[in-house]
Amino acid sequence: MRWTRTLVAFTLALAAGVTTVAGAAQSTQGPPSLQPRWESRLQQQLGLSDQQLQAIRDVYQRDAGAKRQHGQQLRQAQAELRHLALTSTDNHAIQAKQDDVERLMAQSAQMRTSTLRQVAPILTPDQREKLVLLMERGGHGRHRRQAS
């Protein structure tokens, strides 16, 4: 049971990260002064060329609609699960909804992995290592963890 809770908590955190990245990918292209903050920060921290940045932007925008819809489905299923857990005594219904949420979370992880696999060839080996470090310390989202 403890393992399941840990897995669900981890997957929720991962889904929140995917939603954050997908939301950032919805931004429109404009002059450098109007670039979304995530793009300019990423370009500065990784030393990306304008061509690399555009290629990464294209990767994120390619499936932005599907990612947005998936995120909405996941949030809806999570809300339904919370509601069932608090109001229902039907263990089968709760388990079915939990299975649904876990399936959607697994799909979120697959989508995130697919996106990263598409971004990887755009980056140099040094940039990939920098991105790994940024992601490990939480530099890709709003809630940064302190480096230990």
Side-chain angles (χ1 to χ4, degrees):
M1 188 65 155
R2 179 177 283 159
W3 172 247
T4 301
R5 288 182 189 156
T6 303
L7 179 62
V8 169
F10 171 75
T11 312
L12 286 172
L14 180 63
V18 169
T19 304
T20 301
V21 171
Q26 296 171 20
S27 62
T28 58
Q29 179 181 352
S33 62
L34 299 177
Q35 280 182 347
R37 286 186 341 181
W38 76 272
E39 287 183 4
S40 58
R41 249 193 342 254
L42 193 65
Q43 186 171 25
Q44 180 184 19
Q45 291 174 330
L46 298 182
L48 299 174
S49 69
D50 290 339
Q51 295 80 13
Q52 285 176 305
L53 184 61
Q54 181 59 48
I56 291 170
R57 186 183 296 130
D58 292 344
V59 167
Y60 279 101
Q61 288 177 348
R62 190 173 305 134
D63 297 322
K67 290 175 185 175
R68 190 177 322 111
Q69 182 180 9
H70 180 78
Q72 290 170 346
Q73 290 173 341
L74 176 58
R75 286 186 298 280
Q76 179 65 35
Q78 289 169 327
E80 291 170 3
L81 177 59
R82 285 190 299 272
H83 179 75
L84 281 172
L86 292 171
T87 62
S88 178
T89 58
D90 183 354
N91 289 330
H92 293 294
I94 294 169
Q95 185 61 51
K97 186 53 67 175
Q98 183 172 343
D99 291 345
D100 189 36
V101 168
E102 289 175 1
R103 179 186 53 79
L104 290 166
M105 294 172 98
Q107 289 174 348
S108 293
Q110 290 171 343
M111 293 170 97
R112 174 90 174 125
T113 301
S114 174
T115 299
L116 290 173
R117 292 186 71 189
Q118 292 174 57
V119 167
I122 297 168
L123 304 174
T124 66
D126 185 51
Q127 290 169 330
R128 284 193 295 269
E129 287 300 318
K130 287 179 184 178
L131 182 58
V132 166
L133 292 174
L134 285 173
M135 293 176 84
E136 284 176 354
R137 72 169 206 228
H140 63 288
R142 292 181 295 234
H143 305 288
R144 293 184 182 197
R145 285 174 257 149
Q146 294 295 323
S148 47

